[in-house]
Amino acid sequence: MSELNYLQFQPIDPSSYDMPEEHRHQDEIVLDDGIDEEQLDQYWDQVVEDIHKDPDWFTFSDE
């Protein structure tokens, strides 16, 4: 069994580092934004096309 299953994070002791109070706030992560799947598909299609066009980066015939 993976030991990552038992990984636990400990709280950071604020006295252990010298950081101004204004930099200690927590950023809120909002995951409510919708995803434009068509735009994402187009982006990754372009990434794959760019990879195929670059002969120095990877040769697909070597697989």
Side-chain angles (χ1 to χ4, degrees), residues 15-58:
S15 65
S16 67
Y17 59 92
D18 186 23
M19 182 182 289
E21 185 65 37
E22 63 268 13
H23 294 282
R24 294 185 188 183
H25 72 279
Q26 290 277 339
D27 290 333
E28 291 185 25
I29 299 174
V30 179
L31 301 175
D32 295 338
D33 294 341
I35 296 174
D36 183 355
E37 293 179 24
E38 185 175 327
Q39 186 178 11
L40 185 61
D41 284 340
Q42 290 174 0
Y43 173 79
W44 282 112
D45 288 343
Q46 185 64 44
V47 169
V48 172
E49 185 178 324
D50 288 346
I51 291 170
H52 281 282
K53 287 181 179 178
D54 185 359
D56 296 329
W57 188 80
F58 189 82

